[in-house]
Amino acid sequence: MAVASKKIPAPDRVQIKTALLSVSDKTGIVELAAALAKEGIRLLSTGGTHKTLADAGLTVTDVSEITGFPEIMDGRVKTLHPNVHGGLLAIRDDAEHVEAMKTHGIGAIDLAIINLYPFEEVRAKGGDYPTTVENIDIGGPAMIRAAAKNHAYVTIVTDPADYSALIGELATGATSYAFRQRQAAKAYARTAAYDTAISNWFAEALDIGTPAYRTIGGVLKEEMRYGENPHQKAAFYVTGENRPGVATATLLQGKQLSYNNINDTDAAFELVAEFLPQNGPACAIIKHANPCGVATAPTLKEAYKRALACDPVSAFGGIIALNSTLDGETAEEIVKLFTEVIIAPDADEAARAVIASKPNLRLLITGGLPDPRTPGLSAKTVSGGLLVQSRDNGMVEDLDLKVVTKRAPTAQELEDMKFAFKVAKHVKSNAVVYAKDGQSAGIGAGQMSRVDSARIAALKAEEAAKAMGLAEPLTRGSAVASEAFLPFADGLLSAIAAGATAVIQPGGSMRDAEVIAAADEAGVAMVFTGMRHFRH
């Protein structure tokens, strides 16, 4: 049953006489408390915050003095008391509330400065189960929600970034209703994100794949000029997941990343991470979230040039991802072509100097590569709901490849198969990828027909060959990968016509026998992976 409103209009300006400060993140808290004290505001505090303020020479009252009860149970119980919550929740203009405050000796609390135990940080650092549980804050969220609910009379601030705005409000002698509203909205968003982190951790720790309630939380990293298109609003939120990538990278130079930049850069870096640096340098070039070239080589410069050779036309204005430190020679090669973003684990001084000559070129440094095998979640919205699934962390090296044709692949063909299948995992379905000698030879993405994907990939290979002055396209003698099973033999026949001599695909079609027979007739080797990599 809904609770009826008291229908008492909120005052526009509220003078602050008493403030409660209880923070885990003590950034700027001493300076703020000093500013409050200068305004003649009484300070209440708890535990470590009280000690910090007292050590700074400020006059501060311990919460236990107003509750008449000491902190107990290692600080788990200290603010869960009517003298605290009554002071936060009382409607100041309601006679019944005022009488209750007088009867029970409850003083009004006009300002609450509260932030929470660092649960997200503990989780990100891999804290053990007991430590993580101990960092679930109880009193903090309760006080935040109480103060936020009563924002008609109480100001709640949960983010140190808002301290200066609060001080600005107090310079006028009181906080405005609009300020209190905004801070209340932010407070509830904060506790929602906090509870989201806790619930998702429990689901992960207890291996609950489909919890009854699933929420996605994030912290605003930056507002954007627009989204995928200029008429769409957008912002970038980070989840706190400790995974090297665009969300955690440092932007060394260049203008703000756009919505599309972030989406494409993430796709590029996740792809290049499939190629471990201990196995040699690798480069991936992405355009509109699809790879237009991927390659490995003895040097990073050569890997870039080989990736570019796959589709130099599409690479214009693309995203370049590298699996190892960007060096000066590679940087000099990259800046010859207009590029939007470079993302790499690091960049040496020579490379940074070269990139600096292109002030609009964004350079992102991540400090490492994401582990392709790490579990995680991906989500997308649909009308009225969320589709949530585990991250596609399957890797071809971990699969039991099954040779299904009369001819087994050669050692080189097998390596090219694995390379092509790694790339196909990151290409929008339907996906067909040709590869030869650690280099993508042609990529067909996102077609409604797999045959069309095979043909487009072959056509791009022919165009690239002409651009490089080659006698024949790299698809001749290549391996070809399909991210899902070949439903008919026609897709295989198109790949064979393009010059492919080996095929890797998941298998599992009703017509597998027909496809295998076509491969045998052409003398082509084929392996099944047993794992599909649809990507939409």
Side-chain angles (χ1 to χ4, degrees):
M1 179 178 178
V3 179
S5 168
K6 291 286 185 177
K7 296 184 179 178
I8 298 174
D12 179 49
R13 312 290 300 179
V14 171
Q15 184 179 5
I16 294 174
K17 297 179 180 179
T18 300
L20 170 60
L21 300 88
S22 180
V23 296
S24 176
D25 178 0
K26 295 178 175 55
T27 302
I29 195 62
V30 171
E31 293 79 6
L32 174 63
L36 297 177
K38 187 177 180 180
E39 296 293 330
I41 297 170
R42 180 191 182 200
L43 305 181
L44 306 177
S45 194
T46 63
T49 307
H50 179 275
K51 184 178 186 304
T52 297
L53 299 182
D55 288 348
L58 294 167
T59 300
V60 57
T61 300
D62 193 283
V63 165
S64 63
E65 294 184 36
I66 69 167
T67 63
F69 208 90
E71 291 186 17
I72 61 173
M73 300 176 182
D74 297 319
R76 282 190 171 197
V77 179
K78 53 191 173 187
T79 58
L80 298 171
H81 192 279
N83 283 0
V84 173
H85 287 273
L88 293 170
L89 285 166
I91 298 174
R92 310 309 199 245
D93 299 326
D94 182 88
E96 182 183 343
H97 286 215
V98 171
E99 182 61 29
M101 293 175 76
K102 289 180 179 178
T103 299
H104 300 287
I106 298 173
I109 300 173
D110 311 302
L111 169 65
I113 309 295
I114 303 168
N115 57 57
L116 305 173
Y117 291 173
F119 177 87
E120 294 100 333
E121 290 84 350
V122 171
R123 180 191 180 194
K125 291 177 181 177
D128 60 26
Y129 192 95
T131 301
T132 307
V133 168
E134 199 58 36
N135 278 276
I136 297 175
D137 204 330
I138 302 300
M143 290 188 293
I144 288 173
R145 292 174 61 82
K149 176 174 181 174
N150 204 27
H151 64 272
Y153 306 93
V154 178
T155 305
I156 174 67
V157 176
T158 59
D159 187 347
D162 294 325
Y163 291 173
S164 60
L166 171 63
I167 293 171
E169 286 275 319
L170 294 178
T172 67
T175 60
S176 67
Y177 183 54
F179 179 77
R180 297 194 302 276
Q181 280 184 306
R182 290 194 301 272
Q183 291 300 311
K186 186 170 184 177
Y188 278 117
R190 174 65 188 114
T191 58
Y194 194 74
D195 285 340
T196 290
I198 294 168
S199 64
N200 286 336
W201 170 75
F202 266 115
E204 180 183 305
L206 302 181
D207 196 23
I208 302 172
T210 54
Y213 297 90
R214 172 69 81 184
T215 54
I216 306 296
V219 178
L220 179 66
K221 184 170 185 178
E222 58 184 322
E223 295 181 10
M224 298 177 167
R225 288 192 299 136
Y226 55 84
E228 201 163 6
N229 298 291
H231 64 279
Q232 294 173 270
K233 293 182 178 180
F236 185 28
Y237 294 83
V238 293
T239 63
E241 182 183 10
N242 189 23
R243 183 176 179 83
V246 65
T248 57
T250 300
L251 179 64
L252 293 187
Q253 72 156 63
K255 57 187 178 180
Q256 179 190 31
L257 292 166
S258 70
Y259 179 99
N260 293 326
N261 289 153
I262 290 172
N263 187 55
D264 292 351
T265 302
D266 177 69
F269 203 55
E270 290 289 334
L271 167 52
V272 85
E274 298 272 354
F275 300 93
L276 301 179
Q278 56 263 38
N279 296 330
C283 173
I285 305 175
I286 294 284
K287 191 73 171 288
H288 296 305
N290 271 311
C292 50
V294 185
T296 59
T299 68
L300 202 59
K301 178 181 177 180
E302 187 179 352
Y304 165 72
K305 293 177 70 174
R306 299 183 83 210
L308 180 64
C310 180
D311 189 354
V313 174
S314 297
F316 182 85
I319 310 292
I320 295 174
L322 308 168
N323 75 340
S324 49
T325 298
L326 174 63
D327 59 87
E329 285 191 8
T330 306
E332 287 176 355
E333 193 67 34
I334 289 174
V335 297
K336 293 177 181 178
L337 181 74
F338 171 62
T339 299
E340 289 278 3
V341 180
I342 302 172
I343 184 169
D346 202 353
D348 65 23
E349 291 303 318
R352 297 184 189 204
V354 171
I355 302 302
S357 67
K358 301 288 184 179
N360 289 330
L361 174 56
R362 292 92 155 184
L363 177 58
L364 290 170
I365 300 303
T366 65
L369 289 172
D371 182 353
R373 292 182 173 88
T374 300
L377 295 176
S378 66
K380 65 182 295 184
T381 59
V382 296
S383 296
L386 286 172
L387 279 173
V388 181
Q389 64 177 346
S390 59
R391 179 184 288 129
D392 183 357
N393 61 353
M395 294 191 69
V396 68
E397 288 89 350
D398 302 331
L399 304 179
D400 183 16
L401 302 182
K402 179 182 178 183
V403 178
V404 294
T405 49
K406 295 176 181 177
R407 182 174 80 81
T410 65
Q412 184 58 54
E413 284 176 329
L414 185 59
E415 287 303 306
D416 289 340
M417 284 177 168
K418 292 179 179 178
F419 180 97
F421 201 66
K422 284 182 180 182
V423 176
K425 172 183 169 183
H426 295 266
V427 179
K428 297 296 175 69
S429 301
N430 287 314
V432 172
V433 176
Y434 298 89
K436 184 177 181 180
D437 298 330
Q439 177 183 9
S440 59
I443 299 172
Q447 299 304 304
M448 292 69 74
S449 163
R450 199 164 297 277
V451 176
D452 287 343
S453 291
R455 289 170 176 166
I456 289 171
L459 177 62
K460 284 186 170 292
E462 291 174 3
E463 292 174 346
K466 290 178 182 178
M468 293 185 293
L470 300 179
E472 60 180 16
L474 292 177
T475 51
R476 298 296 174 186
S478 68
V480 65
S482 173
E483 99 293 357
F485 65 64
L486 296 173
F488 302 97
D490 53 1
L492 171 66
L493 295 175
S494 293
I496 292 172
T501 61
V503 182
I504 184 169
Q505 58 139 321
S509 167
M510 291 173 53
R511 295 179 175 83
D512 275 349
E514 175 187 324
V515 175
I516 293 170
D520 281 334
E521 184 176 349
V524 168
M526 181 183 291
V527 301
F528 284 0
T529 67
M531 178 177 284
R532 187 180 75 183
H533 287 299
F534 267 171
R535 189 176 184 89
H536 297 105

Short mmCIF file of all heavy atoms in Angstrom, two decimals, residues 24 76 115-125 127-141 190 194-195 197-198 201-202:
data_model
loop_
_atom_site.label_atom_id
_atom_site.label_comp_id
_atom_site.label_asym_id
_atom_site.label_seq_id
_atom_site.Cartn_x
_atom_site.Cartn_y
_atom_site.Cartn_z
N SER A 24 34.59 6.88 3.65
CA SER A 24 35.69 5.93 3.46
C SER A 24 36.80 6.60 2.65
O SER A 24 37.97 6.54 3.01
CB SER A 24 35.18 4.68 2.74
OG SER A 24 36.24 3.80 2.47
N ARG A 76 30.57 -2.32 12.93
CA ARG A 76 29.42 -2.67 12.09
C ARG A 76 28.16 -1.93 12.54
O ARG A 76 27.28 -1.65 11.73
CB ARG A 76 29.17 -4.18 12.14
CG ARG A 76 30.10 -5.01 11.28
CD ARG A 76 29.62 -6.45 11.21
NE ARG A 76 30.37 -7.23 10.24
CZ ARG A 76 29.96 -8.40 9.74
NH1 ARG A 76 28.81 -8.91 10.15
NH2 ARG A 76 30.69 -9.06 8.88
N ASN A 115 30.40 8.71 1.93
CA ASN A 115 30.70 7.77 0.85
C ASN A 115 30.98 6.41 1.45
O ASN A 115 31.13 6.27 2.66
CB ASN A 115 31.82 8.27 -0.08
CG ASN A 115 33.12 8.56 0.63
OD1 ASN A 115 33.68 7.70 1.30
ND2 ASN A 115 33.62 9.80 0.47
N LEU A 116 31.02 5.41 0.62
CA LEU A 116 30.86 4.03 1.06
C LEU A 116 32.15 3.24 1.15
O LEU A 116 33.17 3.60 0.54
CB LEU A 116 29.89 3.32 0.12
CG LEU A 116 28.53 4.02 -0.05
CD1 LEU A 116 27.71 3.33 -1.12
CD2 LEU A 116 27.78 4.06 1.27
N TYR A 117 32.09 2.13 1.90
CA TYR A 117 33.23 1.21 1.93
C TYR A 117 33.63 0.86 0.50
O TYR A 117 32.77 0.71 -0.39
CB TYR A 117 32.85 -0.09 2.64
CG TYR A 117 32.61 0.01 4.13
CD1 TYR A 117 32.12 -1.11 4.83
CD2 TYR A 117 32.86 1.16 4.86
CE1 TYR A 117 31.89 -1.06 6.19
CE2 TYR A 117 32.64 1.22 6.22
CZ TYR A 117 32.15 0.11 6.89
OH TYR A 117 31.90 0.16 8.22
N PRO A 118 34.91 0.68 0.25
CA PRO A 118 35.38 0.48 -1.14
C PRO A 118 35.14 -0.93 -1.67
O PRO A 118 36.07 -1.64 -2.06
CB PRO A 118 36.88 0.80 -1.03
CG PRO A 118 37.23 0.36 0.37
CD PRO A 118 36.04 0.70 1.21
N PHE A 119 33.88 -1.35 -1.70
CA PHE A 119 33.56 -2.69 -2.16
C PHE A 119 34.07 -2.95 -3.57
O PHE A 119 34.69 -3.99 -3.85
CB PHE A 119 32.04 -2.94 -2.11
CG PHE A 119 31.65 -4.29 -2.64
CD1 PHE A 119 31.63 -5.40 -1.81
CD2 PHE A 119 31.32 -4.47 -3.98
CE1 PHE A 119 31.30 -6.65 -2.30
CE2 PHE A 119 30.98 -5.72 -4.48
CZ PHE A 119 30.97 -6.81 -3.63
N GLU A 120 33.80 -2.00 -4.49
CA GLU A 120 34.19 -2.21 -5.89
C GLU A 120 35.70 -2.38 -6.03
O GLU A 120 36.17 -3.23 -6.79
CB GLU A 120 33.72 -1.05 -6.76
CG GLU A 120 32.21 -0.92 -6.88
CD GLU A 120 31.63 0.14 -5.97
OE1 GLU A 120 32.25 0.41 -4.91
OE2 GLU A 120 30.59 0.72 -6.31
N GLU A 121 36.46 -1.58 -5.27
CA GLU A 121 37.92 -1.67 -5.35
C GLU A 121 38.42 -3.00 -4.81
O GLU A 121 39.32 -3.63 -5.39
CB GLU A 121 38.57 -0.52 -4.58
CG GLU A 121 38.41 0.85 -5.23
CD GLU A 121 37.09 1.51 -4.89
OE1 GLU A 121 36.20 0.83 -4.31
OE2 GLU A 121 36.93 2.70 -5.20
N VAL A 122 37.83 -3.44 -3.70
CA VAL A 122 38.24 -4.72 -3.11
C VAL A 122 37.94 -5.86 -4.07
O VAL A 122 38.75 -6.77 -4.27
CB VAL A 122 37.53 -4.94 -1.76
CG1 VAL A 122 37.75 -6.36 -1.24
CG2 VAL A 122 38.02 -3.93 -0.73
N ARG A 123 36.77 -5.79 -4.70
CA ARG A 123 36.40 -6.84 -5.65
C ARG A 123 37.35 -6.84 -6.85
O ARG A 123 37.81 -7.90 -7.29
CB ARG A 123 34.96 -6.62 -6.14
CG ARG A 123 34.51 -7.69 -7.13
CD ARG A 123 33.21 -7.32 -7.80
NE ARG A 123 32.80 -8.35 -8.73
CZ ARG A 123 31.87 -8.21 -9.64
NH1 ARG A 123 31.23 -7.04 -9.75
NH2 ARG A 123 31.54 -9.19 -10.46
N ALA A 124 37.65 -5.64 -7.38
CA ALA A 124 38.52 -5.54 -8.55
C ALA A 124 39.92 -6.08 -8.27
O ALA A 124 40.58 -6.63 -9.16
CB ALA A 124 38.61 -4.09 -9.02
N LYS A 125 40.37 -5.94 -7.01
CA LYS A 125 41.70 -6.43 -6.65
C LYS A 125 41.71 -7.92 -6.31
O LYS A 125 42.75 -8.45 -5.94
CB LYS A 125 42.24 -5.62 -5.47
CG LYS A 125 42.56 -4.17 -5.83
CD LYS A 125 43.02 -3.37 -4.60
CE LYS A 125 43.31 -1.93 -4.96
NZ LYS A 125 43.69 -1.12 -3.78
N GLY A 127 39.86 -9.55 -3.84
CA GLY A 127 39.80 -9.87 -2.42
C GLY A 127 39.11 -11.20 -2.17
O GLY A 127 38.22 -11.61 -2.93
N ASP A 128 39.53 -11.90 -1.11
CA ASP A 128 38.90 -13.18 -0.82
C ASP A 128 37.46 -12.97 -0.35
O ASP A 128 37.01 -11.85 -0.12
CB ASP A 128 39.71 -13.98 0.21
CG ASP A 128 39.87 -13.26 1.54
OD1 ASP A 128 39.01 -12.42 1.89
OD2 ASP A 128 40.86 -13.53 2.24
N TYR A 129 36.72 -14.05 -0.19
CA TYR A 129 35.30 -13.96 0.12
C TYR A 129 35.03 -13.20 1.42
O TYR A 129 34.24 -12.26 1.43
CB TYR A 129 34.70 -15.38 0.17
CG TYR A 129 33.20 -15.43 0.20
CD1 TYR A 129 32.46 -15.60 -0.97
CD2 TYR A 129 32.49 -15.31 1.40
CE1 TYR A 129 31.07 -15.64 -0.95
CE2 TYR A 129 31.11 -15.34 1.44
CZ TYR A 129 30.40 -15.51 0.26
OH TYR A 129 29.03 -15.54 0.29
N PRO A 130 35.68 -13.57 2.55
CA PRO A 130 35.40 -12.85 3.80
C PRO A 130 35.74 -11.36 3.72
O PRO A 130 34.99 -10.52 4.23
CB PRO A 130 36.28 -13.57 4.83
CG PRO A 130 36.52 -14.92 4.25
CD PRO A 130 36.61 -14.70 2.78
N THR A 131 36.86 -11.03 3.08
CA THR A 131 37.25 -9.62 2.97
C THR A 131 36.25 -8.84 2.14
O THR A 131 35.88 -7.70 2.47
CB THR A 131 38.65 -9.50 2.35
OG1 THR A 131 39.59 -10.21 3.16
CG2 THR A 131 39.08 -8.05 2.23
N THR A 132 35.80 -9.45 1.05
CA THR A 132 34.83 -8.78 0.18
C THR A 132 33.52 -8.54 0.92
O THR A 132 32.94 -7.45 0.85
CB THR A 132 34.60 -9.60 -1.10
OG1 THR A 132 35.86 -9.88 -1.72
CG2 THR A 132 33.73 -8.84 -2.09
N VAL A 133 33.06 -9.55 1.64
CA VAL A 133 31.81 -9.40 2.40
C VAL A 133 31.95 -8.30 3.45
O VAL A 133 31.04 -7.50 3.66
CB VAL A 133 31.42 -10.74 3.07
CG1 VAL A 133 30.31 -10.53 4.09
CG2 VAL A 133 31.00 -11.75 2.02
N GLU A 134 33.10 -8.24 4.12
CA GLU A 134 33.30 -7.24 5.17
C GLU A 134 33.27 -5.82 4.61
O GLU A 134 32.99 -4.87 5.33
CB GLU A 134 34.63 -7.50 5.89
CG GLU A 134 34.73 -6.83 7.25
CD GLU A 134 33.62 -7.24 8.21
OE1 GLU A 134 33.20 -8.41 8.18
OE2 GLU A 134 33.14 -6.37 8.97
N ASN A 135 33.52 -5.68 3.32
CA ASN A 135 33.51 -4.36 2.69
C ASN A 135 32.15 -4.02 2.08
O ASN A 135 32.06 -3.10 1.25
CB ASN A 135 34.62 -4.26 1.66
CG ASN A 135 35.95 -3.91 2.30
OD1 ASN A 135 36.24 -2.75 2.54
ND2 ASN A 135 36.74 -4.93 2.61
N ILE A 136 31.12 -4.75 2.46
CA ILE A 136 29.76 -4.37 2.10
C ILE A 136 29.25 -3.39 3.16
O ILE A 136 29.10 -3.74 4.32
CB ILE A 136 28.83 -5.60 2.03
CG1 ILE A 136 29.29 -6.57 0.93
CG2 ILE A 136 27.38 -5.17 1.78
CD1 ILE A 136 28.51 -7.86 0.88
N ASP A 137 29.05 -2.16 2.75
CA ASP A 137 28.61 -1.12 3.68
C ASP A 137 27.11 -1.26 3.97
O ASP A 137 26.32 -1.53 3.05
CB ASP A 137 28.89 0.25 3.06
CG ASP A 137 29.02 1.35 4.11
OD1 ASP A 137 28.39 1.24 5.17
OD2 ASP A 137 29.76 2.32 3.84
N ILE A 138 26.73 -1.06 5.21
CA ILE A 138 25.32 -1.14 5.63
C ILE A 138 24.83 0.22 6.10
O ILE A 138 23.86 0.77 5.59
CB ILE A 138 25.12 -2.18 6.75
CG1 ILE A 138 25.61 -3.56 6.28
CG2 ILE A 138 23.66 -2.23 7.18
CD1 ILE A 138 24.89 -4.09 5.06
N GLY A 139 25.50 0.79 7.09
CA GLY A 139 25.09 2.07 7.64
C GLY A 139 25.16 3.19 6.62
O GLY A 139 24.29 4.08 6.60
N GLY A 140 26.19 3.17 5.79
CA GLY A 140 26.36 4.23 4.79
C GLY A 140 25.18 4.33 3.83
O GLY A 140 24.56 5.40 3.70
N PRO A 141 24.83 3.22 3.13
CA PRO A 141 23.68 3.29 2.22
C PRO A 141 22.38 3.67 2.94
O PRO A 141 21.54 4.39 2.38
CB PRO A 141 23.59 1.87 1.65
CG PRO A 141 24.99 1.34 1.74
CD PRO A 141 25.54 1.93 3.00
N ARG A 190 24.10 6.31 -6.87
CA ARG A 190 25.31 5.72 -6.27
C ARG A 190 24.98 4.45 -5.52
O ARG A 190 25.67 3.43 -5.66
CB ARG A 190 25.97 6.75 -5.33
CG ARG A 190 27.16 6.17 -4.55
CD ARG A 190 28.29 5.80 -5.49
NE ARG A 190 29.37 5.09 -4.83
CZ ARG A 190 29.69 3.82 -5.07
NH1 ARG A 190 29.01 3.10 -5.95
NH2 ARG A 190 30.70 3.25 -4.43
N TYR A 194 26.18 0.64 -6.31
CA TYR A 194 26.87 -0.11 -5.25
C TYR A 194 26.21 -1.47 -5.04
O TYR A 194 26.87 -2.51 -5.00
CB TYR A 194 26.82 0.72 -3.97
CG TYR A 194 27.75 0.27 -2.86
CD1 TYR A 194 29.12 0.49 -2.94
CD2 TYR A 194 27.24 -0.34 -1.71
CE1 TYR A 194 29.97 0.11 -1.91
CE2 TYR A 194 28.09 -0.73 -0.68
CZ TYR A 194 29.45 -0.50 -0.79
OH TYR A 194 30.29 -0.88 0.24
N ASP A 195 24.88 -1.47 -4.92
CA ASP A 195 24.16 -2.73 -4.74
C ASP A 195 24.28 -3.63 -5.96
O ASP A 195 24.30 -4.86 -5.85
CB ASP A 195 22.69 -2.46 -4.43
CG ASP A 195 22.48 -1.97 -3.00
OD1 ASP A 195 23.37 -2.20 -2.17
OD2 ASP A 195 21.42 -1.37 -2.73
N ALA A 197 26.95 -3.83 -7.90
CA ALA A 197 28.26 -4.48 -7.80
C ALA A 197 28.22 -5.64 -6.82
O ALA A 197 28.80 -6.71 -7.07
CB ALA A 197 29.31 -3.46 -7.36
N ILE A 198 27.52 -5.47 -5.71
CA ILE A 198 27.43 -6.53 -4.70
C ILE A 198 26.65 -7.72 -5.24
O ILE A 198 27.09 -8.87 -5.12
CB ILE A 198 26.78 -5.98 -3.41
CG1 ILE A 198 27.69 -4.93 -2.77
CG2 ILE A 198 26.51 -7.11 -2.42
CD1 ILE A 198 27.02 -4.13 -1.67
N TRP A 201 28.59 -9.57 -7.83
CA TRP A 201 29.68 -10.34 -7.23
C TRP A 201 29.15 -11.64 -6.62
O TRP A 201 29.75 -12.70 -6.78
CB TRP A 201 30.38 -9.52 -6.15
CG TRP A 201 31.35 -10.34 -5.35
CD1 TRP A 201 32.60 -10.77 -5.75
CD2 TRP A 201 31.15 -10.87 -4.04
NE1 TRP A 201 33.18 -11.53 -4.76
CE2 TRP A 201 32.32 -11.61 -3.70
CE3 TRP A 201 30.11 -10.80 -3.12
CZ2 TRP A 201 32.45 -12.27 -2.48
CZ3 TRP A 201 30.24 -11.44 -1.90
CH2 TRP A 201 31.41 -12.17 -1.59
N PHE A 202 28.04 -11.55 -5.92
CA PHE A 202 27.46 -12.77 -5.35
C PHE A 202 27.12 -13.78 -6.45
O PHE A 202 27.40 -14.98 -6.30
CB PHE A 202 26.20 -12.43 -4.55
CG PHE A 202 26.44 -12.22 -3.09
CD1 PHE A 202 26.22 -10.99 -2.51
CD2 PHE A 202 26.87 -13.26 -2.28
CE1 PHE A 202 26.44 -10.78 -1.15
CE2 PHE A 202 27.10 -13.07 -0.93
CZ PHE A 202 26.89 -11.83 -0.35
#
